[in-house]
Amino acid sequence: MPATLTAPRTLYDKIWDEHVVHSDGEGPALIYIDRHLVHEVTSPQAFEGLRNAGRAVRRPDCTLATVDHNVPTASRKNFTNVEQFISEPDSRAQCVALEQNVKEFGLTYFGMTDRRQGIVHVIGPEQGFTLPGTTIVCGDSHTSTHGAFGALAFGIGTSEVEHVLATQTLLQRKSRNMRVTVDGTLAEGVTSKDVMLYIIGRVGTAGGTGCVMEFGGSVFREMGMEARMSVCNMSIEAGARAGLVAPDDITFEYLKGRPFAPSGELWDRAVAHWRTLASDADAKFDIEVNIRAEDIVPTVTWGTSPQDVAPITGQVPDPATIADPIKRSGVERSLKYMGLQANTRIEDIHIDKVFIGSCTNSRIEDLRSAAKVVLARGPDAKVAPNVYAMIVPGSGLIKQQAEAEGLDAIFKRAGFDWREAGCSMCLGMNPDQLSPGERCASTSNRNFEGRQGAGGRTHLVSPAMAAAAALTGKLTDVRKLMGQNSRASAEGAKLKLTSVFDFLTDKATAPPAPIARSGAVGTGAPGSNAGASMLKFTTLKGIAAPLKMGNVDTDLIIPKQFLKTLKRTGLGDALFFALRKDPATGAATDFVLNREPYTKAKILVVTGPNFGCGSSREHAPWSLMDFGIRCVIAPSFADIFKTNSMQNGLLPVVLPAAQCEELAKDGEEGLELEVDLERQEIRREKGRETIPFEVEAFRRHCLLNGLDDIGLTLQKDREVVAFERRRTAEWPWLDGLGYAGQVAANAKAGSKGMDW
Ligand SMILES: CC(C)[C@H](C(=O)O)[C@@H](O)C(=O)O
Ligand code: SF4
């Protein structure tokens, strides 16, 4: 055993070590992926890639697919099929495409007639597909949710989805270890959502960049699994690669008996292994944050970034008190967008809509918590006049359980709209959206501009706070509604509790056989080695467009309505859509990319940090590329955006903020920059000083040579097969139903070596 494996290790270190298939110690490691969740938005291009290369899905038994983002949440009573039910053509096309792909590639699929259908991050844990100690990925940033089980779970882009489908592995660099400890006792009325909003407010949306964030301390140890999921869910909002809570008896109790979880003797073996995973007492964390539970009160967001938080007892900030000009203008911009005056009391903010749902807060505990607030107001409690409040359970099973408990009746009696499962107004890829100017108290996770609908205004809150806002028509301290002692009054408001196992009665079954296609699925693509399908990047000379903003999120780079495409191309006009088109008239604005000479920009120079934060949508780099931009220079990038860019031949260059400012000035003067990846330098006009930069050696090599990751990984097939044999021997519960120790041969083992 190497020395590093005997030194004290964190939970993350241990999961990482157990999943390395190959590492040369320098480049990224090839890690094995135990569980892959798939949804309709980020998978069509990945399946298309497999189809074009004649590749199969390597481990259908470890892959689970559902539809969630596009599905309407209207009653399915008259549902006959997706074609008939989904009227919006692009949403329909994505759902139909997934239905065809799962058949063609032979995958387990919870479609719209399956009561197990729901938000991908809700159904994985619900089914016991999510297990401790595993690596879990999905083409979705909130894959971090599954870290609540002590799994290394993170979002990936579509190119990586294709990589995992084809190889069941990913090329990854190890992140740093960060720990957030919250000790003490939470005050009455303070929930896991408040804890996480508070943490994001403290560390910022880039606080966890490059890190895996473990949550420790008495507060998380005492939390139930659903609360832990809400916390880990939003670790991506803190910029972290993943969130983690050590698995313990609470975890095991939650999982035992779930359809996809191991049972019998395998269960005992699995639990014995899971107990070894917690961070060693003397393990070292690169970053430590300590928080006192007593400092946290019900928390809401006032602005357009999840870090814009305030206690419900507080007020909207005043930009005049902020010295840093970028931060000040950011706050001014947020307040303008949110239609708020500085120093307004948070409790004086009136709302138009309430959304209870999303992968953060749509589970049974969340619904119970909202229902308790309604019950505490007595039988005549009513949603405030002029407020529309909707409740969207995270899965069909949660909906059934809530109905068995009578929660739907409590909500309906008070005037809430009770809907079918899906992502719904968290993102509004389906018909559930805010209208321009509408203000919403939402239990979701992102309050970016236009997130819930163009011009819509989002305040993130807990389910209890959302229910309170629905009843009063404004952001309200839920503690006032629950009385002095919320726990006591909540207990007074009795709910008829049920067991989830009354509903989890559909047995897990082996995935169906793929539909055979001539010479394609299952037959592999011998010889399709290091593909040169990625666009090469050597040197790039051109106009640089300056963008003086920080925390530019991918919702802003490309809004949701453009994620419905089945292609990777044609997205240039969608780039920064909300900034480039006047929402009222549709006319072009004076945004930098609409002005000459920047309509021909090949480089984007951003002066603020954390470019590309938020969603994992690879559509962000696709739209930049389609516009003609091949290089983005910024002080820092969000992890997923950076990887997605590299996968597409778009070069992200990190430079200190002062140098970004200098280059932005060149851009403002209309000067060209020349980005030379070979020499790792940026040459400027007018004899201005050349600026050096650094790009990780492996990625530089791939960009310079146009090498795509799948081709490289297929050359490691022998190592992958050996890993799978060991996995079956040591952790047999990870092989899914129908796995016979055979995988589709995607590439011939032992083909040419590769210098990575
Ligand atoms: C569609 C998907 C790429 C996206 C994500 O990665 O988060 C979505 O789920 C979101 O919440 O914005
Ligand atoms: S964040 Fe919203 S849109 Fe994204 S997966 Fe979760 S519920 Fe769906």
Side-chain angles (χ1 to χ4, degrees):
M1 190 181 268
T4 52
L5 298 191
T6 56
R9 290 181 298 161
T10 64
L11 166 59
Y12 169 51
D13 295 336
K14 293 181 191 181
I15 304 177
W16 176 272
D17 291 343
E18 285 182 3
H19 286 84
V20 175
V21 172
H22 172 85
S23 170
D24 64 7
E26 280 182 13
L30 188 67
I31 65 164
Y32 199 80
I33 301 301
D34 295 314
R35 295 286 181 261
H36 189 188
L37 289 152
V38 173
H39 66 66
E40 79 279 13
V41 182
T42 50
S43 62
Q45 297 85 348
F47 285 114
E48 187 59 20
L50 291 190
R51 199 174 286 121
N52 290 343
R55 289 171 180 150
V57 172
R58 185 179 181 94
R59 294 297 300 259
D61 62 309
C62 297
T63 310
L64 176 61
T66 195
V67 272
D68 51 8
H69 286 69
N70 285 283
V71 299
T73 55
S75 164
R76 294 184 197 164
K77 253 192 225 123
N78 298 323
F79 183 93
T80 49
N81 57 49
V82 163
E83 284 92 334
Q84 158 272 329
F85 191 73
I86 305 184
S87 52
E88 206 280 309
D90 294 338
S91 289
R92 184 171 58 226
Q94 276 196 333
C95 294
V96 168
L98 183 59
E99 293 204 332
Q100 285 166 351
N101 285 328
V102 295
K103 282 191 202 128
E104 185 174 330
F105 290 90
L107 302 180
T108 302
Y109 173 61
F110 297 165
M112 285 187 68
T113 51
D114 193 318
R115 65 196 190 122
R116 295 170 295 178
Q117 175 267 337
I119 306 172
V120 74
H121 310 306
V122 171
I123 66 166
E126 184 168 76
Q127 292 298 319
F129 184 74
T130 299
L131 294 174
T134 54
T135 46
I136 305 181
V137 296
C138 173
D140 198 285
S141 54
H142 287 102
T143 310
S144 56
T145 313
H146 309 261
F149 291 80
L152 175 59
F154 53 89
I156 55 178
T158 297
S159 297
E160 291 180 307
V161 169
E162 184 180 338
H163 190 284
V164 177
L165 289 172
T167 69
Q168 204 60 30
T169 63
L170 265 184
L171 284 165
Q172 284 288 299
R173 284 208 161 265
K174 193 162 180 219
S175 304
R176 296 192 304 154
N177 280 291
M178 176 170 181
R179 178 163 59 187
V180 177
T181 306
V182 186
D183 272 319
T185 308
L186 291 176
E188 306 293 345
V190 179
T191 67
S192 55
K193 180 66 164 284
D194 302 304
V195 173
M196 198 51 196
L197 286 173
Y198 183 90
I199 292 172
I200 297 164
R202 267 282 288 274
V203 305
T205 50
T209 304
C211 298
V212 167
M213 189 181 273
E214 179 169 343
F215 297 96
S218 59
V219 164
F220 302 112
R221 275 201 305 276
E222 282 160 24
M223 271 183 191
M225 286 315 296
E226 304 202 348
R228 291 180 188 178
M229 281 188 248
S230 304
V231 169
C232 289
N233 172 277
M234 288 191 74
S235 46
I236 182 72
E237 270 63 59
R241 189 81 187 101
L244 282 173
V245 176
D248 59 11
D249 287 333
I250 295 175
T251 322
F252 310 147
E253 190 175 326
Y254 175 96
L255 283 172
K256 191 167 188 185
R258 295 199 179 244
F260 285 75
S263 58
E265 182 256 344
L266 275 190
W267 170 259
D268 297 335
R269 273 178 71 183
V271 171
H273 174 61
W274 297 340
R275 286 195 193 282
T276 66
L277 293 173
S279 293
D280 297 330
D282 37 4
K284 186 181 155 326
F285 288 85
D286 302 291
I287 304 176
E288 292 260 20
V289 177
N290 290 297
I291 291 172
R292 283 167 15 110
E294 290 73 17
D295 291 342
I296 309 174
V297 299
T299 302
V300 306
T301 59
W302 53 265
T304 54
S305 161
Q307 70 187 8
D308 296 342
V309 300
I312 184 67
T313 49
Q315 54 192 39
V316 171
D318 184 350
T321 60
I322 300 171
D324 179 327
I326 287 206
K327 281 200 184 125
R328 186 172 56 241
S329 78
V331 171
E332 280 164 357
R333 185 190 157 82
S334 292
L335 292 186
K336 185 161 174 242
Y337 180 85
M338 293 296 288
L340 291 173
Q341 300 297 323
N343 301 316
T344 303
R345 284 180 62 238
I346 299 286
E347 280 201 287
D348 288 341
I349 299 175
H350 288 260
I351 49 129
D352 307 298
K353 285 193 171 159
V354 170
F355 171 62
I356 299 181
S358 88
C359 56
T360 314
N361 284 127
S362 62
R363 299 179 179 83
I364 194 72
E365 293 286 352
D366 301 315
L367 304 186
R368 286 176 186 155
S369 148
K372 278 179 188 165
V373 176
V374 180
L375 278 180
R377 292 285 272 183
D380 299 327
K382 285 276 174 291
V383 169
N386 306 324
V387 170
Y388 167 76
M390 69 191 306
I391 305 198
V392 184
S395 72
L397 286 173
I398 293 173
K399 180 165 187 272
Q400 287 193 339
Q401 185 175 7
E403 288 173 357
E405 297 188 0
L407 302 185
D408 62 323
I410 297 169
F411 291 129
K412 285 191 225 160
R413 190 178 60 207
F416 287 83
D417 195 4
W418 179 248
R419 314 284 297 182
E420 296 283 338
C423 291
S424 180
M425 208 161 64
C426 171
L427 175 67
M429 282 186 73
N430 76 345
D432 308 336
Q433 291 179 14
L434 295 182
S435 303
E438 272 186 338
R439 188 181 296 285
C440 180
S442 175
T443 66
S444 53
N445 41 52
R446 289 183 174 145
N447 51 347
F448 301 141
E449 289 182 24
R451 169 76 183 179
Q452 296 191 285
R457 295 160 174 164
T458 304
H459 295 274
L460 303 176
V461 293
S462 72
M465 289 280 284
L471 300 177
T472 62
K474 55 196 185 94
L475 297 178
T476 300
D477 191 337
V478 66
R479 295 172 297 183
K480 292 181 184 163
L481 269 58
M482 303 292 284
Q484 283 307 301
N485 184 342
S486 62
R487 209 161 277 169
S489 55
E491 273 159 18
K494 280 275 178 282
L495 296 174
K496 181 174 95 194
L497 298 188
T498 62
S499 160
V500 69
F501 293 102
D502 297 340
F503 305 90
L504 279 173
T505 49
D506 306 83
K507 296 261 175 302
T509 50
I515 296 175
R517 290 182 295 115
S518 51
V521 168
T523 61
S528 62
N529 291 322
S533 63
M534 193 178 74
L535 222 51
K536 284 186 187 178
F537 190 109
T538 49
T539 57
L540 173 74
K541 187 164 189 229
I543 292 290
L547 185 64
K548 301 207 153 189
M549 287 172 76
N551 290 314
V552 175
D553 58 79
T554 51
D555 278 69
L556 196 64
I557 298 174
I558 181 165
K560 56 173 157 268
Q561 61 271 34
F562 302 105
L563 309 187
K564 298 186 184 185
T565 174
L566 303 178
K567 299 185 301 195
R568 294 171 196 248
T569 49
L571 294 171
D573 286 343
L575 178 66
F576 289 115
F577 186 81
L579 300 180
R580 280 167 69 201
K581 293 255 180 340
D582 183 297
T585 63
T589 64
D590 69 346
F591 181 66
V592 60
L593 296 181
N594 287 341
R595 298 198 310 262
E596 296 306 337
Y598 309 111
T599 57
K600 302 196 181 48
K602 292 188 180 162
I603 300 161
L604 187 68
V605 184
V606 190
T607 55
N610 201 23
F611 186 82
C613 58
S615 146
S616 67
R617 56 192 74 172
E618 199 162 312
H619 310 68
W622 294 339
S623 62
L624 284 157
M625 302 266 296
D626 211 64
F627 182 88
I629 292 172
R630 292 283 316 272
C631 172
V632 182
I633 302 170
S636 61
F637 291 89
D639 291 334
I640 306 180
F641 175 84
K642 200 168 170 188
T643 309
N644 283 344
S645 299
M646 304 273 206
Q647 300 278 338
N648 286 279
L650 175 89
L651 177 68
V653 173
V654 178
L655 286 178
Q659 288 183 335
C660 292
E661 288 282 356
E662 266 189 61
L663 294 178
K665 279 198 199 109
D666 288 8
E668 278 168 349
E669 291 174 36
L671 302 179
E672 294 199 337
L673 300 178
E674 185 168 12
V675 181
D676 185 336
L677 180 59
E678 183 78 60
R679 299 175 65 160
Q680 301 193 89
E681 63 184 30
I682 300 173
R683 293 186 287 273
R684 304 158 72 192
E685 292 193 85
K686 292 197 171 169
R688 291 182 188 173
E689 202 185 341
T690 294
I691 294 183
F693 65 88
E694 270 183 42
V695 173
E696 190 198 308
F698 170 76
R699 284 295 159 205
R700 180 165 160 264
H701 174 73
C702 291
L703 282 165
L704 285 171
N705 297 291
L707 303 177
D708 86 287
D709 286 6
I710 299 180
L712 296 179
T713 298
L714 288 177
Q715 297 184 4
K716 292 276 175 279
D717 195 59
R718 209 183 352 217
E719 283 88 341
V720 178
V721 170
F723 183 94
E724 283 173 330
R725 286 212 186 96
R726 188 155 68 81
R727 191 180 92 139
T728 300
E730 288 185 29
W731 309 300
W733 58 88
L734 295 181
D735 290 333
L737 286 168
Y739 179 63
Q742 300 282 323
V743 293
N746 261 322
K748 294 284 171 258
S751 46
K752 288 189 274 138
M754 189 53 215
D755 58 338
W756 60 286

